[in-house]
Structures are given as structure tokens and as C-alpha cells.
Amino acid sequence: MNYFLTEEQVMIRDLARQIADEVIRPTAAKLDEEEKFPYEIMKTLANADLFGVYIPEEYGGLGFGCFELCLAVEELSKACGGVTTTYAASALGTFPILLFGNEAQKQKYLPDVARGTKLAAFGLTEADAGSDASGIQTTAVSDGDYYILNGTKQWITNGGEAEIYVIIAMTDKNKGSRGASAIIVEKGTPGFTFGKKEKKMGIRCSATTELIFQDCRVPKENLLAREGFGFIVTMKTLDRARPGVAAQSVGIAQGSLDLAVKYAKERVQFGKPISSFQGIQFMLADCATQIEAARALTYSVARMIDAGEKDISKESAMSKLFASDVAMKVTTDVVQIFGGYGYMREYPVEKMMRDAKITQIYEGTNQIQRHVIALGLIKESGSN
Ligand code: COS
């Protein structure tokens, strides 16, 4: 399929593809097995300027947008979904600053993220607040020029590894979603520590931890937008980030299909390569078609965002919903095509199936995506 990429977009895609092939793929299984954070790979991505793809040039980035970020995420995901979780979660933690930060906050935080010298993270989820984003209990109580944060965030990607955290906390508990605020908290702030590192089914080289706030004093100048705007910051951030999860899904699915096609041509049963059997051919054909449809939807939504379209909640949710379901279906079918070999850890496809599962869950479960899509449809249909 021709998506009419510009010369620069082709360069970004090819650069990410080269890093995926030469640096990520050879170490992906080991990082997964040992659950090791990919420090060296992050350095490589930083040296290639890939952390700055979507950050404006005035803040040290390359000045491209969501679409180019998706291209990079897709290519890197072909080799390892865990690496792209780390990479894309830094963008998730940066979007609130890009979208809602004042000039001083942008000047202070964006250049380090663009250079890849600091990772960012987004802290919303808590033990009792996942899908119900407005149910958070972490508080930020005003005290002169400071907020005092108390509470625990759970399952935060890049926890412990990131230097910059955007935390959603209640500045007014009586106001529900309108009482939440978004506050930047730097690693090393007294009263801010990290809890246990989670052991996960997939994306195992990425870091997922608790963030613990105990009387943590944060200057009020770290508030994003204004008090009470935290829920909107969250929703707008997720709207922008979900096509990234879709791109990750497309990459994982494509990476596994590429292996399946190769394997089906090599694997001989009943005296013939299994690629000559219609049962296998139909599976491959369905996988390829679904991936292309997911890619087309993801690219369209990313381009809408870059074109400045404001109301993209529904389309963004659609891309994440569709692409992640495709990733799960394709990677499951690819394990089936590999048969017993597919089930063994010696081959990379079982990892891809494990990695794919999270794309249906994080940045909003696919049930929440359907809810967002339905709300959008109903809203668009007007009052009657
Ligand atoms: N952009 C701007 N404003 C939005 C918005 C969006 N995308 N979505 C909701 N809002 C606004 C609403 O218009 C409403 O404003 P008013 O109070 O002025 O009417 C306010 O935010 C609250 O919206 P709503 O009543 O729909 O909130 P709910 O508590 O019902 O929650 C869902 C809505 C379920 C969509 C939200 O909680 C959600 O997205 N949950 C999933 C969170 C998630 O993805 N978690 C994963 C971990 S984060 S990595």
C-alpha cells in the first residue's frame, strides 16, 4: 500500500527500521527473559534523534508530528514491543507538557526529552482508578507556593527510569473530575519514591512501577494549565497518544506476520512447504489484510491530529481499538502457523503474542475505547 510518505518520513521510517534490525532484534529475547531495561537501545534511539521526532524545533526536536512518531513506533515494534513501550510512554508523559505547558515549562523540560537524556512518564492510574479516571485518590493540597502530594500511583510505565513525571492529583476532592490537576514532578523530589517493579506477561524489558508520594512538596509553577484542568489534560493526552498504541500494535502484528510468511515457505510437511496449503494461505491472507486496514486507520488518525483537527477522541479510540485487536488476532494466528515451534520460547513469536496483549489494555481498555467511540457517535448525531 502506498501511503505517499515524504522523503523525510521515509528517512525516519528507514532509520527506525535499521535500528530495529541491527540493535533491537538481536537482543530482544534476552531483554525479555532477563526483564532488563533497554538502556543501550535508549541511547541508540537518543543518538539517532528519534526521541525528538514529534517535538518542535524551538525545543530541540525534529519538528515533526504524531504521524512520524507512529512511523518510528511501528518500525521499532516489529522487533520488540517492550522497547517501544518505553519509547512511546516517554511521549505519553511529554504530550501534557507540549499541549498544556507554559513557555517556561516547555523550555525547561522539552529539550532534555527531545535529546533523549531524560525520559518522561504519565502518572494517572491507581489501585482503584483505572478505567474510571476520575476516581483517583492522590491529593495535591495547596500550601503557599507549593502543593503537597500524597498517594500512590500504580503500573506506571517508565517508573523509576524517567526523570519527568506528569501526575494527576486531586486539588479539590469535592469537585469530582473537575477537581483534578496535572502537576509535573521531578525524580529526586523529597517525598517521591518508587514502589515495587512489576513482573509482567509481556513487554517485559519495560519498567512498570508504583510511584509513592508522601508529603512531597512540589512548586506551584509545575502546575499544567490551571487547577481543576487535570481531567481534560488526561483526556486530551490520551486522545493524542492512542494512535501510538495503534502503531505499536501494527508493528508487532507486522513483525510476527513477516516471520510467519518466511517460516511457512521453509517448513515442509507432507512433502511440501506449508505455504502451499490453502489453510495456511488463508490465515496469512487474513492477517495481511487486517494489518493493512489497521495501518491505514492509524495513519489517517495521526494525520488528522497533525492537521490540527480538534475533536479526535472517537477516531483516536477507533485506531487503538482496531489495531490492538488485530495485533492480538494476528500474533495468535502466527503462533498457530508455527505450531509447536511457535509455543517454544526459542522462537520469537510467543513473545510477540504476549507483547500484543497489553495493547488491548493500556491507555484505556478496548471496552473503554468502545465507550468513547459510542459517546462520539451519539454526540455527532445531535439532539434528536
Ligand atoms: N476531551 C476533552 N474533554 C473531555 C474528553 C476529551 N477527550 N473526554 C471527556 N471530556 C470532558 C467531558 O466533556 C466532561 O466535561 P464536563 O464536566 O464539562 O461535562 C468531563 O471531561 C468528564 O467527562 P465524562 O463525564 O465523560 O467522564 P467519565 O468519568 O464518565 O469518564 C471515560 C469518561 C471513561 C472516557 C474516561 O474516564 C476514560 O477515558 N477512562 C480511561 C482512562 C484510561 O485510559 N486509563 C488508562 C491508564 S492511563 S495510561
Side-chain angles (χ1 to χ4, degrees), residues 124-125 130-131 133-134 178 231-232 235 238-239 242 313 363-364:
L124 168 71
T125 304
S131 297
S134 59
R178 290 182 184 196
F231 194 77
I232 301 296
M235 293 298 117
L238 290 170
D239 285 347
R242 284 173 181 155
S313 304
E363 294 192 27

Side-chain angles (χ1 to χ4, degrees), residues 92 100 122-126 129-135 154-157 175 177-178 231-239 241-242 310-314 320 361-365 368-369 371-372 375 379:
L92 175 70
F100 294 97
F122 186 64
L124 168 71
T125 304
E126 298 179 4
S131 297
D132 182 5
S134 59
Q154 180 173 277
W155 302 332
I156 305 304
T157 305
K175 286 194 182 159
S177 63
R178 290 182 184 196
F231 194 77
I232 301 296
V233 171
T234 300
M235 293 298 117
K236 293 276 182 205
T237 295
L238 290 170
D239 285 347
R242 284 173 181 155
K310 290 277 171 284
D311 199 357
I312 42 109
S313 304
K314 176 168 108 290
K320 195 275 200 194
I361 299 173
Y362 65 11
E363 294 192 27
T365 63
I368 288 291
Q369 308 310 318
H371 170 71
V372 172
L375 282 181
K379 196 172 110 188

Side-chain angles (χ1 to χ4, degrees), residues 42-103:
M42 290 303 122
K43 264 191 221 156
T44 307
L45 297 178
N47 291 339
D49 286 336
L50 285 179
F51 278 104
V53 162
Y54 60 94
I55 294 178
E57 284 172 308
E58 63 260 42
Y59 305 113
L62 295 182
F64 297 106
C66 235
F67 181 63
E68 289 78 7
L69 176 64
C70 283
L71 289 177
V73 168
E74 179 186 343
E75 287 308 320
L76 301 172
S77 300
K78 289 180 185 171
C80 180
V83 165
T84 41
T85 295
T86 307
Y87 173 71
S90 192
L92 175 70
T94 307
F95 285 150
I97 303 175
L98 255 180
L99 294 173
F100 294 97
N102 58 35
E103 192 51 33

Side-chain angles (χ1 to χ4, degrees), residues 189-207:
T189 307
F192 175 26
T193 54
F194 304 101
K196 69 172 166 144
K197 187 174 171 196
E198 303 289 347
K199 295 180 85 65
K200 305 188 291 289
M201 171 195 274
I203 55 162
R204 289 168 58 175
C205 71
S206 67

Side-chain angles (χ1 to χ4, degrees), residues 26-45:
T27 56
K30 192 164 186 284
L31 290 170
D32 176 69
E33 186 73 28
E34 297 175 357
E35 304 188 37
K36 284 238 171 88
F37 190 80
Y39 294 107
E40 288 307 313
I41 295 172
M42 290 303 122
K43 264 191 221 156
T44 307
L45 297 178

